Amino acid sequence: MSDTALIQTRGLSKSFRSRDRKAAKEKKTIDAVRGIDLDVGEGETFGFLGPNGAGKTTTLRMLATLLTPDGGEATVAGADLRLRPADVRQRIGYVAQGGSTSEAWTAREELVLQAQLYGVSRAEAEKRTERALEAFQLAEYADRKIATYSGGQRRRVDIALGIIHQPKVVFLDEPTTGLDPQSRAHMWDEVRRLRAEGMTIFLTTHYLDEADALCDRLAIIDHGTIVAEGTPEDLKREISGDVLVLGLGAGAAEPAAAVLRGEPYVNRLEPIDDGSLRLFVDEGATAIPMVLRSVEAAGLSLSTVELHRPSLDDVFLTKTGRSLRES
Amino acid sequence: MKFLRDTWLIFSSQIKLLLRQPTWVLIGVFQPVMYLLLFAPLLKPALSPLGVVSDAEVYRIFVPGLLVLLALFGGLFSGFSLIAELRSGVLERARVTPVSRLALMIGRSLRDVVTLVAQALIITLLSLALGMRVHLGNVLLAYLLLALLTLMMSSLSAGIALTVRSEEVLAPLMNTAFQPIFLLSGIMLPLVFAPRWLQRVADWNPFAWATDGTRALFAGDIYNDKIWQGLLIIVVLTVLSVVWAARKFATSVR
């Protein structure tokens, strides 16, 4: 717990009553978030990582005052989430996953109104809008209807709307989901720029490379609980050793896995698809010849071998037993 | 005051959007104007048992009904635009700001009220051109009643829209629920022609009271009890539906 923590949660939890009609009789509840503790420091970019349905968005929506927590406590930007939600709202920005713009308006109109909703005078709202349009490279289209914007441009408007009132912390829910690679790179630059300006950023993503590239610290959430937390480097270091990715050709993954699973130097083994395997080993360089021998002894052939340091995907795999891509 | 400023911000942005497509206001009056021109003339013989002998008298009975109809449906369909805003995330973005929740709702409903008053003006002016004669004071009071009715329908529609959250459910629900209410309100023909049992049922329909009140105002029958009764009923129901919808706004926008 640090003095400058901008977001602090203790035992934050939320459950939903099942909306399934068949299950309605039993009043089944789903524990979406099961007591999480988070500390995000001032100026930090914090990544919240997990598969769909893990509880990322629910947590974010609680912190942004859109959902009332069922249990636990949270302080956001110096205000108690339960007792002073109005103060929290004044101090945070929130950019929803699905976007938040109306096609009938122009970016300029949306930004001016948004600033005014935070109590800013019209003149000041226009001044800030001008700056935001410039900073997000939207000036060129500022007076066109948002209906004519590309996905990347809309996303930039969303983020500009989220920070127009100069919040202390901004929540970005999957800021790059659905963007093409170029827009995604552009968005990363925007996030880095906000960070450089000293803004605290709390973002969710299910892209590991994104978390790796942008975040100072991150937490991995799965089934509503935090399964790992730390800097990307710390987390990668937690998995000792190397990762080998074996390319074996279609259908060969199963028999090869059967052979390799018993080998003493293999710490862990995961099939990627029916033709490739991922092995966690202590030392890649010495493991490769042994793997080669075992595979060939079983009458199989190895077409490719990749050796790499653990990635966040590997971290996720070891922490949750699943690959992010399959979840 | 924050609430007034917030309401004004929401209202003025909604009006700006409306003015960008003013054709909707005109499309909204197209049907009532058609009724006025093509249906009202048929009513003279039908209304003769009430002592109606001139076109002007027909309009004084028919136009108030038309205006109540406009108020009813003008507010009723505001739920659809709300669902669109819900889906686009616009409403959620507003909810993360410190803007007053009541202002979010009232600002939108006032847009419907302004639309209704503009439409009512068009219909009234047209009726005046067709020979109807009314007192200005009475018409203004009738507009107040109609404005309240719109506010009530608009907030009711918003509350229902936030509950069902889908156009596919909202459309049939609205049509089914409001068809009997519409038929039982004496909008097309005064309920004095109705059999007694139908009149007793209609006594429970607030829109029947609103229609009677508006009609009495247009007739210049200012001492008719139906006027204050209609106003009272609508004021109470408007307050209730606004409070309900505002609570929905505060809690249910997921």
Side-chain angles (χ1 to χ4, degrees), chain B residues 205-233:
Chain B
N205 183 358
F207 297 99
W209 291 90
T211 310
D212 285 347
T214 316
R215 219 162 248 158
L217 281 167
F218 269 71
D221 191 4
I222 194 73
Y223 296 109
N224 193 328
D225 287 342
K226 296 274 187 185
I227 296 173
W228 69 262
Q229 289 166 342
L231 266 170
L232 184 69
I233 290 171

mmCIF file of all heavy atoms in Angstrom, chain B residues 205-233:
data_model
loop_
_atom_site.group_PDB
_atom_site.id
_atom_site.type_symbol
_atom_site.label_atom_id
_atom_site.label_comp_id
_atom_site.label_asym_id
_atom_site.label_seq_id
_atom_site.Cartn_x
_atom_site.Cartn_y
_atom_site.Cartn_z
ATOM 1 N N ASN B 205 -59.394 5.268 -17.545
ATOM 2 C CA ASN B 205 -58.340 5.606 -18.493
ATOM 3 C C ASN B 205 -57.964 7.087 -18.361
ATOM 4 O O ASN B 205 -58.746 7.962 -18.711
ATOM 5 C CB ASN B 205 -58.840 5.313 -19.911
ATOM 6 C CG ASN B 205 -57.772 5.570 -20.959
ATOM 7 O OD1 ASN B 205 -56.668 6.009 -20.646
ATOM 8 N ND2 ASN B 205 -58.109 5.296 -22.209
ATOM 9 N N PRO B 206 -56.758 7.378 -17.871
ATOM 10 C CA PRO B 206 -56.382 8.783 -17.680
ATOM 11 C C PRO B 206 -56.434 9.586 -18.984
ATOM 12 O O PRO B 206 -56.683 10.779 -18.973
ATOM 13 C CB PRO B 206 -54.955 8.703 -17.136
ATOM 14 C CG PRO B 206 -54.500 7.315 -17.381
ATOM 15 C CD PRO B 206 -55.709 6.451 -17.443
ATOM 16 N N PHE B 207 -56.212 8.889 -20.104
ATOM 17 C CA PHE B 207 -56.230 9.614 -21.378
ATOM 18 C C PHE B 207 -57.636 10.066 -21.747
ATOM 19 O O PHE B 207 -57.813 11.069 -22.426
ATOM 20 C CB PHE B 207 -55.631 8.756 -22.487
ATOM 21 C CG PHE B 207 -54.197 8.441 -22.221
ATOM 22 C CD1 PHE B 207 -53.832 7.227 -21.669
ATOM 23 C CD2 PHE B 207 -53.222 9.385 -22.472
ATOM 24 C CE1 PHE B 207 -52.514 6.955 -21.381
ATOM 25 C CE2 PHE B 207 -51.906 9.121 -22.194
ATOM 26 C CZ PHE B 207 -51.541 7.903 -21.643
ATOM 27 N N ALA B 208 -58.627 9.317 -21.288
ATOM 28 C CA ALA B 208 -60.001 9.743 -21.506
ATOM 29 C C ALA B 208 -60.253 11.055 -20.760
ATOM 30 O O ALA B 208 -60.891 11.978 -21.285
ATOM 31 C CB ALA B 208 -60.969 8.663 -21.034
ATOM 32 N N TRP B 209 -59.711 11.149 -19.534
ATOM 33 C CA TRP B 209 -59.847 12.387 -18.762
ATOM 34 C C TRP B 209 -59.103 13.527 -19.441
ATOM 35 O O TRP B 209 -59.598 14.654 -19.511
ATOM 36 C CB TRP B 209 -59.309 12.192 -17.346
ATOM 37 C CG TRP B 209 -60.166 11.266 -16.532
ATOM 38 C CD1 TRP B 209 -60.039 9.919 -16.437
ATOM 39 C CD2 TRP B 209 -61.292 11.632 -15.729
ATOM 40 N NE1 TRP B 209 -61.008 9.400 -15.622
ATOM 41 C CE2 TRP B 209 -61.802 10.426 -15.162
ATOM 42 C CE3 TRP B 209 -61.927 12.836 -15.432
ATOM 43 C CZ2 TRP B 209 -62.900 10.402 -14.316
ATOM 44 C CZ3 TRP B 209 -63.020 12.810 -14.575
ATOM 45 C CH2 TRP B 209 -63.500 11.607 -14.033
ATOM 46 N N ALA B 210 -57.922 13.219 -19.951
ATOM 47 C CA ALA B 210 -57.139 14.258 -20.634
ATOM 48 C C ALA B 210 -57.872 14.749 -21.882
ATOM 49 O O ALA B 210 -57.917 15.952 -22.166
ATOM 50 C CB ALA B 210 -55.761 13.725 -21.011
ATOM 51 N N THR B 211 -58.452 13.795 -22.617
ATOM 52 C CA THR B 211 -59.177 14.172 -23.835
ATOM 53 C C THR B 211 -60.387 15.031 -23.480
ATOM 54 O O THR B 211 -60.627 16.072 -24.105
ATOM 55 C CB THR B 211 -59.636 12.911 -24.603
ATOM 56 O OG1 THR B 211 -58.511 12.038 -24.734
ATOM 57 C CG2 THR B 211 -60.170 13.269 -25.969
ATOM 58 N N ASP B 212 -61.148 14.610 -22.475
ATOM 59 C CA ASP B 212 -62.319 15.389 -22.057
ATOM 60 C C ASP B 212 -61.919 16.794 -21.624
ATOM 61 O O ASP B 212 -62.582 17.777 -21.973
ATOM 62 C CB ASP B 212 -63.037 14.680 -20.896
ATOM 63 C CG ASP B 212 -63.828 13.478 -21.390
ATOM 64 O OD1 ASP B 212 -64.002 13.356 -22.624
ATOM 65 O OD2 ASP B 212 -64.259 12.666 -20.548
ATOM 66 N N GLY B 213 -60.821 16.869 -20.861
ATOM 67 C CA GLY B 213 -60.365 18.174 -20.377
ATOM 68 C C GLY B 213 -59.957 19.081 -21.528
ATOM 69 O O GLY B 213 -60.335 20.264 -21.577
ATOM 70 N N THR B 214 -59.193 18.522 -22.463
ATOM 71 C CA THR B 214 -58.749 19.319 -23.608
ATOM 72 C C THR B 214 -59.951 19.779 -24.441
ATOM 73 O O THR B 214 -60.021 20.923 -24.894
ATOM 74 C CB THR B 214 -57.796 18.481 -24.493
ATOM 75 O OG1 THR B 214 -56.878 17.798 -23.647
ATOM 76 C CG2 THR B 214 -57.016 19.360 -25.445
ATOM 77 N N ARG B 215 -60.891 18.868 -24.594
ATOM 78 C CA ARG B 215 -62.080 19.189 -25.383
ATOM 79 C C ARG B 215 -62.872 20.325 -24.723
ATOM 80 O O ARG B 215 -63.330 21.245 -25.406
ATOM 81 C CB ARG B 215 -62.946 17.935 -25.493
ATOM 82 C CG ARG B 215 -63.576 17.783 -26.842
ATOM 83 C CD ARG B 215 -64.053 16.359 -27.063
ATOM 84 N NE ARG B 215 -63.274 15.700 -28.090
ATOM 85 C CZ ARG B 215 -63.161 14.388 -28.204
ATOM 86 N NH1 ARG B 215 -63.736 13.592 -27.317
ATOM 87 N NH2 ARG B 215 -62.461 13.886 -29.186
ATOM 88 N N ALA B 216 -62.997 20.246 -23.394
ATOM 89 C CA ALA B 216 -63.732 21.296 -22.678
ATOM 90 C C ALA B 216 -63.027 22.643 -22.856
ATOM 91 O O ALA B 216 -63.667 23.688 -23.025
ATOM 92 C CB ALA B 216 -63.837 20.943 -21.203
ATOM 93 N N LEU B 217 -61.697 22.620 -22.844
ATOM 94 C CA LEU B 217 -60.945 23.860 -23.025
ATOM 95 C C LEU B 217 -61.156 24.436 -24.427
ATOM 96 O O LEU B 217 -61.345 25.641 -24.590
ATOM 97 C CB LEU B 217 -59.452 23.610 -22.782
ATOM 98 C CG LEU B 217 -59.047 23.541 -21.310
ATOM 99 C CD1 LEU B 217 -57.643 22.982 -21.164
ATOM 100 C CD2 LEU B 217 -59.121 24.938 -20.684
ATOM 101 N N PHE B 218 -61.119 23.577 -25.424
ATOM 102 C CA PHE B 218 -61.328 24.061 -26.792
ATOM 103 C C PHE B 218 -62.750 24.566 -26.980
ATOM 104 O O PHE B 218 -62.988 25.486 -27.761
ATOM 105 C CB PHE B 218 -61.010 22.953 -27.815
ATOM 106 C CG PHE B 218 -59.577 22.972 -28.262
ATOM 107 C CD1 PHE B 218 -58.566 22.595 -27.393
ATOM 108 C CD2 PHE B 218 -59.238 23.399 -29.547
ATOM 109 C CE1 PHE B 218 -57.243 22.628 -27.801
ATOM 110 C CE2 PHE B 218 -57.918 23.440 -29.951
ATOM 111 C CZ PHE B 218 -56.918 23.049 -29.080
ATOM 112 N N ALA B 219 -63.696 23.964 -26.239
ATOM 113 C CA ALA B 219 -65.093 24.392 -26.359
ATOM 114 C C ALA B 219 -65.332 25.699 -25.601
ATOM 115 O O ALA B 219 -66.406 26.289 -25.698
ATOM 116 C CB ALA B 219 -66.012 23.295 -25.833
ATOM 117 N N GLY B 220 -64.326 26.136 -24.841
ATOM 118 C CA GLY B 220 -64.485 27.365 -24.067
ATOM 119 C C GLY B 220 -65.334 27.152 -22.831
ATOM 120 O O GLY B 220 -65.760 28.092 -22.175
ATOM 121 N N ASP B 221 -65.516 25.897 -22.477
ATOM 122 C CA ASP B 221 -66.362 25.534 -21.333
ATOM 123 C C ASP B 221 -65.493 25.531 -20.076
ATOM 124 O O ASP B 221 -65.272 24.501 -19.456
ATOM 125 C CB ASP B 221 -66.937 24.133 -21.620
ATOM 126 C CG ASP B 221 -68.033 23.764 -20.650
ATOM 127 O OD1 ASP B 221 -68.402 24.620 -19.809
ATOM 128 O OD2 ASP B 221 -68.512 22.625 -20.736
ATOM 129 N N ILE B 222 -65.020 26.715 -19.706
ATOM 130 C CA ILE B 222 -63.934 26.830 -18.734
ATOM 131 C C ILE B 222 -64.339 26.398 -17.328
ATOM 132 O O ILE B 222 -63.497 26.071 -16.503
ATOM 133 C CB ILE B 222 -63.372 28.283 -18.750
ATOM 134 C CG1 ILE B 222 -62.026 28.368 -18.022
ATOM 135 C CG2 ILE B 222 -64.363 29.281 -18.173
ATOM 136 C CD1 ILE B 222 -60.891 27.761 -18.780
ATOM 137 N N TYR B 223 -65.629 26.349 -17.039
ATOM 138 C CA TYR B 223 -66.062 25.943 -15.688
ATOM 139 C C TYR B 223 -66.355 24.451 -15.605
ATOM 140 O O TYR B 223 -66.790 23.956 -14.576
ATOM 141 C CB TYR B 223 -67.283 26.761 -15.251
ATOM 142 C CG TYR B 223 -66.932 28.226 -15.138
ATOM 143 C CD1 TYR B 223 -67.421 29.147 -16.054
ATOM 144 C CD2 TYR B 223 -66.067 28.660 -14.121
ATOM 145 C CE1 TYR B 223 -67.070 30.483 -15.968
ATOM 146 C CE2 TYR B 223 -65.710 29.991 -14.034
ATOM 147 C CZ TYR B 223 -66.216 30.908 -14.965
ATOM 148 O OH TYR B 223 -65.842 32.206 -14.876
ATOM 149 N N ASN B 224 -66.097 23.754 -16.694
ATOM 150 C CA ASN B 224 -66.312 22.308 -16.713
ATOM 151 C C ASN B 224 -65.322 21.614 -15.752
ATOM 152 O O ASN B 224 -64.114 21.851 -15.807
ATOM 153 C CB ASN B 224 -66.106 21.794 -18.142
ATOM 154 C CG ASN B 224 -66.605 20.369 -18.319
ATOM 155 O OD1 ASN B 224 -66.540 19.578 -17.382
ATOM 156 N ND2 ASN B 224 -67.093 20.071 -19.508
ATOM 157 N N ASP B 225 -65.852 20.785 -14.849
ATOM 158 C CA ASP B 225 -64.997 20.082 -13.878
ATOM 159 C C ASP B 225 -63.953 19.191 -14.542
ATOM 160 O O ASP B 225 -62.911 18.905 -13.965
ATOM 161 C CB ASP B 225 -65.857 19.214 -12.952
ATOM 162 C CG ASP B 225 -66.624 20.076 -11.965
ATOM 163 O OD1 ASP B 225 -66.235 21.244 -11.783
ATOM 164 O OD2 ASP B 225 -67.612 19.586 -11.402
ATOM 165 N N LYS B 226 -64.263 18.735 -15.746
ATOM 166 C CA LYS B 226 -63.334 17.841 -16.448
ATOM 167 C C LYS B 226 -61.953 18.474 -16.616
ATOM 168 O O LYS B 226 -60.951 17.761 -16.716
ATOM 169 C CB LYS B 226 -63.884 17.510 -17.844
ATOM 170 C CG LYS B 226 -65.176 16.753 -17.842
ATOM 171 C CD LYS B 226 -64.910 15.271 -17.737
ATOM 172 C CE LYS B 226 -66.228 14.518 -17.911
ATOM 173 N NZ LYS B 226 -66.067 13.094 -17.718
ATOM 174 N N ILE B 227 -61.899 19.808 -16.664
ATOM 175 C CA ILE B 227 -60.617 20.475 -16.893
ATOM 176 C C ILE B 227 -59.674 20.268 -15.713
ATOM 177 O O ILE B 227 -58.567 19.746 -15.870
ATOM 178 C CB ILE B 227 -60.817 21.976 -17.188
ATOM 179 C CG1 ILE B 227 -61.604 22.135 -18.488
ATOM 180 C CG2 ILE B 227 -59.475 22.691 -17.288
ATOM 181 C CD1 ILE B 227 -62.010 23.557 -18.799
ATOM 182 N N TRP B 228 -60.133 20.653 -14.523
ATOM 183 C CA TRP B 228 -59.206 20.485 -13.386
ATOM 184 C C TRP B 228 -59.009 19.019 -13.036
ATOM 185 O O TRP B 228 -57.933 18.604 -12.607
ATOM 186 C CB TRP B 228 -59.656 21.325 -12.182
ATOM 187 C CG TRP B 228 -60.924 20.883 -11.484
ATOM 188 C CD1 TRP B 228 -62.170 21.390 -11.669
ATOM 189 C CD2 TRP B 228 -61.050 19.862 -10.494
ATOM 190 N NE1 TRP B 228 -63.082 20.748 -10.879
ATOM 191 C CE2 TRP B 228 -62.420 19.809 -10.133
ATOM 192 C CE3 TRP B 228 -60.141 18.979 -9.879
ATOM 193 C CZ2 TRP B 228 -62.925 18.899 -9.189
ATOM 194 C CZ3 TRP B 228 -60.649 18.077 -8.941
ATOM 195 C CH2 TRP B 228 -62.018 18.046 -8.599
ATOM 196 N N GLN B 229 -60.044 18.221 -13.262
ATOM 197 C CA GLN B 229 -59.881 16.786 -12.987
ATOM 198 C C GLN B 229 -58.816 16.173 -13.910
ATOM 199 O O GLN B 229 -57.932 15.443 -13.473
ATOM 200 C CB GLN B 229 -61.219 16.055 -13.164
ATOM 201 C CG GLN B 229 -62.210 16.375 -12.059
ATOM 202 C CD GLN B 229 -63.628 15.948 -12.398
ATOM 203 O OE1 GLN B 229 -63.957 15.712 -13.555
ATOM 204 N NE2 GLN B 229 -64.474 15.862 -11.380
ATOM 205 N N GLY B 230 -58.938 16.501 -15.199
ATOM 206 C CA GLY B 230 -57.963 15.993 -16.168
ATOM 207 C C GLY B 230 -56.562 16.445 -15.824
ATOM 208 O O GLY B 230 -55.612 15.645 -15.801
ATOM 209 N N LEU B 231 -56.429 17.742 -15.513
ATOM 210 C CA LEU B 231 -55.114 18.283 -15.169
ATOM 211 C C LEU B 231 -54.535 17.600 -13.937
ATOM 212 O O LEU B 231 -53.368 17.194 -13.922
ATOM 213 C CB LEU B 231 -55.214 19.792 -14.906
ATOM 214 C CG LEU B 231 -54.925 20.715 -16.082
ATOM 215 C CD1 LEU B 231 -55.303 22.151 -15.762
ATOM 216 C CD2 LEU B 231 -53.444 20.641 -16.465
ATOM 217 N N LEU B 232 -55.368 17.436 -12.920
ATOM 218 C CA LEU B 232 -54.902 16.833 -11.669
ATOM 219 C C LEU B 232 -54.406 15.402 -11.910
ATOM 220 O O LEU B 232 -53.312 15.021 -11.466
ATOM 221 C CB LEU B 232 -56.033 16.845 -10.635
ATOM 222 C CG LEU B 232 -55.640 16.328 -9.253
ATOM 223 C CD1 LEU B 232 -54.683 17.305 -8.572
ATOM 224 C CD2 LEU B 232 -56.889 16.116 -8.386
ATOM 225 N N ILE B 233 -55.238 14.644 -12.620
ATOM 226 C CA ILE B 233 -54.865 13.241 -12.889
ATOM 227 C C ILE B 233 -53.542 13.174 -13.644
ATOM 228 O O ILE B 233 -52.637 12.394 -13.303
ATOM 229 C CB ILE B 233 -55.986 12.533 -13.685
ATOM 230 C CG1 ILE B 233 -57.204 12.335 -12.791
ATOM 231 C CG2 ILE B 233 -55.508 11.204 -14.252
ATOM 232 C CD1 ILE B 233 -58.436 11.844 -13.517
#
